[in-house]
Amino acid sequence: MGKDEVSTKKRRKINTTTSIDASKLAPADVYKRVVEFEESEAQIRSAEKDAALFKKICHDVRQIFSDVADLKVKGTDEANEKINAKRIEASLLLVALKKLNRLEKVRTRAGRDALHKEKQRVDSTHLLLQNLLYEADHLDKEVTKCLQFKSKDEEIELVPLKDFYRDAPSEISRPEVTKADEHQLQLARLEWELRQRRELAGVCSELVSSKERVAAAIAAARSRLDALAPHLRDVLKATKPLQECLALRLDEKRDEAQAAALLPPPLFLLYANAGAYSDALGAKNVTVAIAGDEDEARRLDQLTNEESEVVVSNDSDSDQDNNDEDHRDSKKKRHHRTVKVSKEERAEAKKKEVLKTHPLNVHVTVKNSDETSVDLIFSYMIHLKIVVVKFIMNVSKPIIGVSAADVLNGDCILNELYVGDTGTDSPHPATAYLLSTAGISEHFSHFISEIGRPFIWAQRMCGLDFMAVVSDKQKTNKNIQPCQSLSVASVENFIFTLKKRLKARVELMKELQDLESGKILPSKGMPCPVKLSGSLTQWQSITWNEYSQAPSTLFLISEGLVTDVFMLYRAIITRQSAKLVALVAVSSDYPKKAPLFSLTLHWNGTHNSLTNDDIRDIERVINTDWHASDKGRCSLSSQIMKLLTCLDILLETMGSPEFPPDKVMLQSVRGRNRMKPYKFLKQGAGAFVHY
Amino acid sequence: MLDKIIYNTVLSQTLSPCGKYLVAGNIYGQLAVFDLDNIFNPVIELLTSDYNKPKHIHTLESGSQVCSLVSTKKFLVVGTVNQILGWDWKSLGHSKLGKPAWNITIRPRSLFENCDINSLWCSEDEEKIYAGCGDNKIYVHNLEDGRLVNSYEGHSDFVHCVHGNGKQIISSGEDGLVLLWDTRTKKSHNKIEPHRNSKVQRHDIGKWVGAAALGNDWIICGGGPRLSLWHLRSLDVVTVFDLPDNGIHVAFFHDDCVFAGGVSKHLYQLSYSGDIRVELPVSATTVYSAVLRTNPRKVLSIAGSSPEIDLCTTFNYRDQVLHFR
């Protein structure tokens, strides 16, 4: 309603101001036109001027109101009249105000519209900007992707540039282009690579096919060989009657060779080398044979072969030892599970297992010219990896005499064949460890009587050298490989040493037999120069205990010259009331080492070398090589002969009437030490002089 | 065969004038030189296991035994068989012994015999050297030119020992005689025969007199007969020492004491009245040599039929054992 009023008033106002135009136009268009007019008017008129006008009109209205108020106070007619005039005036002013208001409204609306329009434009521009930015980003990414792209060809290993230019044909390398263009160069190289690879692939396939052809040929040859074996067997069978007829030992030898193949490597070496010496020296010196259970050996061989294969396939470092150990352990466990074995029995079985020897052993018989021989039985201990020796002595004639028999006792004949080699302990450094891991508390020497002696020479003959192992500690646990050259050298050395020893022992035995019966036979080249008055009344072997308890031997024992491995004897020499007891220590290395005498003289008191210089002098003459003028071999008999002579000299120089001097002496006593003339001089009838 | 050195017998020893070296000679003709400085004052850092072994062992060219040794200010005098050799002390420090500085040859009576120089004694003025020999004589040589000055003949068997005190010379021999000689004459003017004295004799051991020494008023001698002290002027036995020995080879005076040793386990120090003051245990079966010295240090070295030589610094007990091997 109000609006209507306003619109009417507007109309009126417009009518008043623009009466001509409004009256001419149709009433429907009047509003439109008015609106348009006012809009354009609002645009044309300045807002500030209108604002100033509005303020002035407001001020005028207020003035009129205050005038009216003054006039009302007067309340006169004149005043009323004036009031009316003023009312009209004010109304007109209000119309103007309304007009201004309307204009203002139009203007505001137009501004608002303009603002909105502007906002929309800004928004769209912003949107456009965002789009462009996004697009730019994307393009950026694409560019980097392109830059980072790696071609397959970079991974291919190419022929070096130098080789490429040298080898490649020019139609590929095209140096005139590629030298300048990196990319073309790469392409050319790739092309060259491709060509070469193709060629190589061709060669490879060719080779493979040729290999297959060869394999086929081998298979064919093998099948032919396999077919040959039965034929050969037939041939062998066919020769048998002929062999028997001609008494050839071909088969036996073949059997032995077969058995030899089953021998453990150390024993095989021994067999081969000793066999060679047996051939070279003749069967009457050395013979070699293989004894033992061949089937058992074959089984063992197969077993170890399988084991070694297992080891290889496992590609593990575990050596044979461990393998054996494992194997044994597993066996033990199985035992434990299935059969309830008592503890002792198990321990016994374990011990047996550890001390097990190879079922085959090698017999070496060394014979002397006079039919005495030694049978040596070499066995190989599989787990302890050492060689042990048992021996049997064969003597042609029965030995008379107790002490003489001991000399040829095998136990001592092999003793210290080489220096320090007593064969009482295992030469293998790992033996103690192996025994303790097997739960055996006894020392190895405990078993020696049962299994035989592990002499070092036996190891060396079989090519086992433990010394080298000891020096190289890291290899202690490795398998010891038998050394061929060592075995060759040792076997030869051993055979000759043993023969020498045998010979020496036989001679010693004869000497001892004589001595025991009281005879002293001078050896050749050492004839007895004078009549000897003393006589050997007793000769017997004594124990180490007896020997070491005699005061006269103290010095030799403390100097370490005599040990309990020596063969010990007591000789008693008497001449009238004088009795000389000689304790004789014969080294197992006799006659290389001379027997050692320690003397005690019972005459006018008891004298030995520690209390009497004369006895000491005699010992010096007999035991040392002082003035080794008599180059003759120093045998036990010749030493005893010397002893008898010395005793005579000593007693005769004592000046006692019991022993009248009957030997020619130039001077009975000489020097401050009152030495007696113990040296025999072959001058005329012979005389005794001082050394 | 054993090494002969195990049965080594040292017959004589002497100390160098400086007291630094001990020289010992054995029956194999070897001279061992021991460095006493090193043995008594060893440098611990340099101490080796063979410190008690000889510094050098020289072997005589002839190889015959070293019977006696004596030292003068300048020379080591070695009495061997048929020869007296003199070496300058300086040359002994070298590892190889050169030729002797001088030698005196004593000819044996016959081709088969040899003449051992059993005993050497040098007078205090070092003018003359007295050699008691295996040919029963005592030869006196001038040290200046080696000329034979005198020879004393009176023994009927080899001479064991010669000693003197400036005016007189005493000698003892295998024949059982102890002879006194005036240095100016050729004849002995006095003699004692211990084996004829019933208190002294020991028939089972023999009549030989192994050692005799002259003091100012006394004679000490012993051998087969017991060790005994005789008065020089009256020639009577004053003391007969009752020792468990089987023969005396060493006897001398020192500091109102008699030192004696021989076939016995001990070396004895005795008072004139016959009391045993000290019994020194010895390594040797028979003591053939004992040398004593007080300057620059007290040292007593005892050797005999053993490779070991016993060394005492206090004369009361055995300090060290040297090895001549």
Side-chain angles (χ1 to χ4, degrees):
Chain A
M1 282 291 278
K3 203 166 182 179
D4 280 338
E5 252 178 24
V6 169
S7 59
T8 50
K9 276 174 190 169
K10 237 185 222 171
R11 212 181 305 147
R12 246 180 250 160
K13 168 85 188 225
I14 291 163
N15 282 345
T16 53
T17 50
T18 55
S19 52
I20 307 155
D21 295 334
S23 57
K24 282 176 184 170
L25 288 172
D29 294 323
V30 170
Y31 282 109
K32 207 177 174 184
R33 280 171 58 195
V34 167
V35 169
E36 277 173 8
F37 175 78
E38 276 194 340
E39 276 175 3
S40 60
E41 195 182 15
Q43 268 181 3
I44 293 160
R45 289 176 69 103
S46 130
E48 283 85 18
K49 273 182 188 162
D50 281 352
L53 191 62
F54 183 75
K55 274 178 191 160
K56 193 193 161 231
I57 292 170
C58 284
H59 184 74
D60 288 344
V61 170
R62 242 176 254 127
Q63 191 64 47
I64 292 169
F65 283 165
S66 63
D67 289 348
V68 169
D70 287 343
L71 290 174
K72 279 248 178 121
V73 171
K74 281 174 186 170
T76 58
D77 286 341
E78 197 188 348
N80 283 338
E81 220 172 292
K82 271 186 181 174
I83 288 169
N84 278 333
K86 288 275 181 191
R87 206 181 276 160
I88 295 164
E89 206 176 324
S91 300
L92 284 173
L93 283 171
L94 279 175
V95 168
L97 268 179
K98 269 190 175 173
K99 170 79 183 175
L100 282 174
N101 210 4
R102 222 164 32 239
L103 281 175
E104 192 51 45
K105 275 212 172 110
V106 167
R107 220 179 267 141
T108 308
R109 208 184 62 205
R112 214 173 266 156
D113 282 350
L115 180 67
H116 188 68
K117 225 179 184 174
E118 200 60 26
K119 261 187 182 167
Q120 265 185 342
R121 205 173 56 80
V122 168
D123 271 358
S124 72
T125 318
H126 187 72
L127 202 63
L128 185 66
L129 177 68
Q130 289 289 339
N131 274 339
L132 286 173
L133 278 177
Y134 178 77
E135 209 166 312
D137 203 31
H138 177 74
L139 287 175
D140 250 2
K141 267 183 198 159
E142 288 293 308
V143 167
T144 44
K145 230 185 238 172
C146 286
L147 286 176
Q148 278 168 1
F149 174 73
K150 271 205 163 76
S151 170
K152 228 354 179 225
D153 71 283
E154 282 171 45
E155 286 164 22
I156 299 170
E157 259 186 66
L158 292 175
V159 183
L161 205 56
K162 214 169 71 188
D163 296 352
F164 167 71
Y165 276 120
R166 198 186 56 216
D167 300 335
S170 58
E171 71 262 23
I172 291 175
S173 62
R174 286 173 300 156
E176 68 283 355
V177 185
T178 52
K179 280 263 162 77
D181 190 342
E182 192 79 11
H183 183 65
Q184 286 300 325
L185 173 66
Q186 186 73 7
L187 282 178
R189 287 174 74 183
L190 284 170
E191 193 182 340
W192 173 235
E193 191 70 30
L194 179 65
R195 184 189 276 201
Q196 273 187 319
R197 286 188 184 205
R198 268 190 192 136
E199 279 168 14
L200 287 174
V203 172
C204 178
S205 65
E206 214 169 277
L207 287 176
V208 166
S209 68
S210 79
K211 184 186 144 200
E212 270 161 13
R213 271 200 308 282
V214 171
I218 288 171
R222 189 170 285 158
S223 69
R224 256 185 68 198
L225 272 179
D226 286 348
L228 203 61
H231 283 296
L232 285 174
R233 230 168 280 143
D234 287 345
V235 170
L236 275 181
K237 223 178 258 172
T239 60
K240 222 160 215 169
L242 186 67
Q243 273 187 48
E244 273 163 28
C245 187
L246 296 175
L248 287 174
R249 286 185 62 251
L250 294 178
D251 266 359
E252 275 176 47
K253 276 200 176 160
R254 200 175 303 117
D255 285 348
E256 208 159 73
Q258 243 165 29
L262 292 173
L263 283 174
L267 287 183
F268 180 77
L269 261 182
L270 171 72
Y271 173 77
N273 288 320
Y277 276 97
S278 160
D279 285 348
L281 298 173
K284 65 179 194 299
N285 280 315
V286 183
T287 54
V288 187
I290 295 172
D293 188 350
E294 249 177 77
D295 296 335
E296 178 66 35
R298 208 160 282 141
R299 221 174 5 258
L300 194 75
D301 195 41
Q302 262 166 6
L303 202 68
T304 48
N305 271 354
E306 276 163 25
E307 272 172 9
S308 62
E309 267 162 35
V310 167
V311 171
V312 169
S313 65
N314 280 356
D315 203 21
S316 69
D317 268 355
S318 74
D319 57 5
Q320 199 73 24
D321 264 61
N322 284 345
N323 219 24
D324 287 353
E325 208 82 45
D326 292 346
H327 188 77
R328 209 158 51 242
D329 280 354
S330 65
K331 225 185 226 170
K332 288 279 122 75
K333 273 175 205 154
R334 209 160 54 228
H335 255 272
H336 190 65
R337 246 178 276 131
T338 51
V339 197
K340 293 215 165 159
V341 199
S342 73
K343 227 177 188 178
E344 291 92 64
E345 272 176 50
R346 248 190 312 145
E348 194 61 36
K350 214 170 192 182
K351 195 188 285 181
K352 244 185 199 161
E353 184 69 25
V354 171
L355 295 176
K356 196 174 158 193
T357 55
H358 195 272
L360 289 181
N361 41 40
V362 174
H363 285 241
V364 177
T365 311
V366 178
K367 285 183 200 146
N368 212 359
S369 47
D370 63 346
E371 301 300 306
T372 25
S373 65
V374 193
D375 266 351
L376 300 167
I377 302 161
F378 292 82
S379 318
Y380 183 64
M381 305 195 67
I382 302 169
H383 298 301
L384 296 183
K385 299 194 185 313
I386 52 175
V387 175
V388 289
V389 184
K390 286 183 188 170
F391 34 74
I392 304 161
M393 271 302 297
N394 301 314
V395 189
S396 53
K397 283 174 279 181
I399 303 167
I400 321 143
V402 188
S403 61
D406 284 348
V407 172
L408 279 181
N409 179 354
D411 219 19
C412 81
I413 199 159
L414 294 177
N415 212 345
E416 297 226 16
L417 205 53
Y418 297 94
V419 178
D421 190 0
T422 54
T424 48
D425 195 11
S426 165
H428 195 320
T431 299
Y433 166 75
L434 287 173
L435 284 180
S436 68
T437 48
I440 296 171
S441 52
E442 289 104 330
H443 194 248
F444 181 76
S445 50
H446 182 76
F447 305 106
I448 277 180
S449 56
E450 201 178 315
I451 55 173
R453 283 172 178 261
F455 289 107
I456 294 169
W457 52 254
Q459 321 301 323
R460 294 178 70 88
M461 279 170 78
C462 295
L464 302 172
D465 192 1
F466 296 110
M467 288 320 205
V469 179
V470 175
S471 63
D472 200 346
K473 279 206 171 128
Q474 287 160 329
K475 287 186 180 168
T476 310
N477 282 330
K478 291 242 173 88
N479 257 345
I480 291 148
Q481 287 305 320
C483 165
Q484 173 94 42
S485 54
L486 178 71
S487 172
V488 172
S490 306
V491 167
E492 177 182 2
N493 194 327
F494 170 75
I495 288 173
F496 289 112
T497 313
L498 185 61
K499 280 188 70 121
K500 224 182 270 172
R501 167 68 65 91
L502 259 183
K503 206 173 151 206
R505 280 302 164 93
V506 170
E507 274 167 29
L508 179 63
M509 179 201 74
K510 284 178 189 155
E511 261 181 90
L512 288 176
Q513 276 182 353
D514 289 340
L515 287 174
E516 216 162 322
S517 56
K519 284 184 284 181
I520 304 166
L521 297 177
S523 57
K524 278 173 274 167
M526 272 280 287
C528 181
V530 283
K531 188 172 122 303
L532 295 173
S533 313
S535 58
L536 181 67
T537 51
Q538 194 196 53
W539 179 272
Q540 65 178 84
S541 55
I542 55 169
T543 62
W544 169 249
N545 220 0
E546 276 177 88
Y547 184 84
S548 58
Q549 265 159 22
S552 60
T553 58
L554 193 72
F555 152 75
L556 288 173
I557 295 169
S558 68
E559 289 281 332
L561 298 166
V562 177
T563 59
D564 51 359
V565 297
F566 279 59
M567 295 174 274
L568 305 167
Y569 302 98
R570 177 167 52 221
I572 297 178
I573 296 165
T574 50
R575 180 177 171 183
Q576 274 102 327
S577 64
K579 185 175 112 177
L580 181 71
V581 179
L583 298 180
V584 187
V586 182
S587 153
S588 36
D589 219 7
Y590 174 87
K592 230 186 266 169
K593 278 191 198 156
L596 296 179
F597 285 70
S598 56
L599 311 171
T600 310
L601 177 67
H602 299 275
W603 181 74
N604 213 352
T606 304
H607 311 278
N608 61 34
S609 69
L610 296 178
T611 59
N612 191 317
D613 251 13
D614 290 318
I615 304 294
R616 192 167 178 266
D617 287 341
I618 295 179
E619 278 189 19
R620 180 194 289 135
V621 167
I622 292 168
N623 284 346
T624 73
D625 49 0
W626 186 33
H627 288 280
S629 51
D630 31 54
K631 281 278 185 251
R633 234 167 32 82
C634 204
S635 71
L636 189 57
S637 313
S638 69
Q639 270 184 309
I640 289 178
M641 188 95 75
K642 232 183 196 175
L643 178 60
L644 280 170
T645 327
C646 288
L647 179 67
D648 280 353
I649 301 280
L650 177 63
L651 293 175
E652 286 167 23
T653 51
M654 288 286 200
S656 158
E658 196 184 346
F659 308 109
D662 68 358
K663 297 188 173 52
V664 185
M665 295 178 232
L666 282 184
Q667 206 181 355
S668 64
V669 182
R670 185 184 148 192
R672 285 187 60 223
N673 48 346
R674 309 191 73 247
M675 265 276 256
K676 311 300 187 288
Y678 295 119
K679 186 182 180 185
F680 181 71
L681 199 68
K682 271 191 244 164
Q683 199 95 45
F688 285 91
V689 295
H690 289 88
Y691 277 110
Chain B
M1 286 264 143
L2 296 180
D3 191 351
K4 62 184 181 181
I5 206 77
I6 286 172
Y7 288 103
N8 192 8
T9 294
V10 178
L11 286 180
S12 54
Q13 304 173 93
T14 192
L15 291 156
S16 68
C18 58
K20 195 172 174 237
Y21 295 108
L22 171 70
V23 181
N26 70 2
I27 56 166
Y28 307 122
Q30 292 172 323
L31 285 173
V33 183
F34 293 95
D35 188 347
L36 292 185
D37 272 354
N38 198 26
I39 289 159
F40 286 122
N41 310 312
V43 183
I44 301 296
E45 295 83 44
L46 303 175
L47 199 62
T48 51
S49 59
D50 60 348
Y51 79 100
N52 54 7
K53 296 243 168 92
K55 197 175 162 209
H56 306 298
I57 294 183
H58 305 301
T59 308
L60 295 189
E61 230 171 81
S62 62
S64 39
Q65 62 183 6
V66 177
C67 308
S68 52
L69 288 167
V70 76
S71 57
T72 70
K73 280 203 183 68
K74 226 180 144 201
F75 296 107
L76 168 70
V77 186
V78 179
T80 153
V81 179
N82 301 336
Q83 262 186 330
I84 303 172
L85 307 166
W87 271 282
D88 201 315
W89 273 110
K90 281 177 204 145
S91 67
L92 247 79
H94 303 300
S95 58
K96 205 167 178 313
L97 189 66
K99 291 250 178 247
W102 50 263
N103 69 9
I104 296 166
T105 306
I106 291 165
R107 298 208 172 282
R109 283 170 300 188
S110 70
L111 195 63
F112 297 110
E113 268 177 278
N114 285 316
C115 176
D116 304 328
I117 315 299
N118 280 331
S119 178
L120 282 170
W121 183 74
C122 188
S123 58
E124 278 87 6
D125 53 13
E126 296 201 341
E127 260 183 25
K128 288 170 186 155
I129 191 156
Y130 296 78
C133 293
D135 60 357
N136 313 346
K137 293 178 197 164
I138 298 160
Y139 296 99
V140 186
H141 284 270
N142 197 330
L143 264 180
E144 199 63 48
D145 51 8
R147 195 163 41 85
L148 180 70
V149 179
N150 211 341
S151 69
Y152 301 143
E153 295 178 34
H155 282 288
S156 58
D157 208 335
F158 67 85
V159 181
H160 266 282
C161 176
V162 180
H163 190 249
N165 66 355
K167 288 164 281 181
Q168 292 187 85
I169 299 296
I170 193 169
S171 69
S172 69
E174 180 72 15
D175 54 1
L177 295 179
V178 177
L179 299 178
L180 283 158
W181 313 81
D182 193 289
T183 49
R184 290 155 297 188
T185 60
K186 275 196 148 191
K187 290 275 172 221
S188 71
H189 60 88
N190 263 324
K191 69 170 178 182
I192 48 179
E193 289 174 281
H195 63 281
R196 293 198 192 279
N197 187 312
S198 60
K199 282 191 282 182
V200 181
Q201 68 191 12
R202 283 188 293 195
H203 284 306
D204 54 333
I205 299 174
K207 61 181 184 179
W208 53 275
V209 181
L214 267 181
N216 283 333
D217 299 311
W218 309 98
I219 296 170
I220 183 83
C221 67
R226 288 182 202 285
L227 182 73
S228 48
L229 187 70
W230 302 68
H231 192 250
L232 181 57
R233 272 180 291 280
S234 63
L235 298 179
D236 282 335
V237 190
V238 180
T239 314
V240 179
F241 298 97
D242 184 25
L243 301 176
D245 67 289
N246 281 309
I248 298 290
H249 285 280
V250 174
F252 58 89
F253 293 105
H254 174 75
D255 245 3
D256 292 335
C257 239
V258 174
F259 283 67
V263 192
S264 167
K265 288 271 155 235
H266 298 94
L267 183 89
Y268 296 95
Q269 290 171 39
L270 308 145
S271 68
Y272 289 176
S273 58
D275 303 326
I276 296 174
R277 286 200 181 155
V278 179
E279 276 185 337
L280 267 174
V282 293
S283 314
T285 309
T286 305
V287 176
Y288 287 114
S289 165
V291 289
L292 183 148
R293 192 167 178 134
T294 50
N295 184 32
R297 66 165 81 82
K298 275 173 91 173
V299 58
L300 171 64
S301 169
I302 307 156
S305 50
S306 163
E308 270 86 48
I309 295 175
D310 302 312
L311 220 56
C312 320
T313 47
T314 57
F315 308 160
N316 288 331
Y317 55 86
R318 176 162 53 184
D319 284 308
Q320 304 229 29
V321 177
L322 309 182
H323 295 273
F324 185 176
R325 56 165 92 184

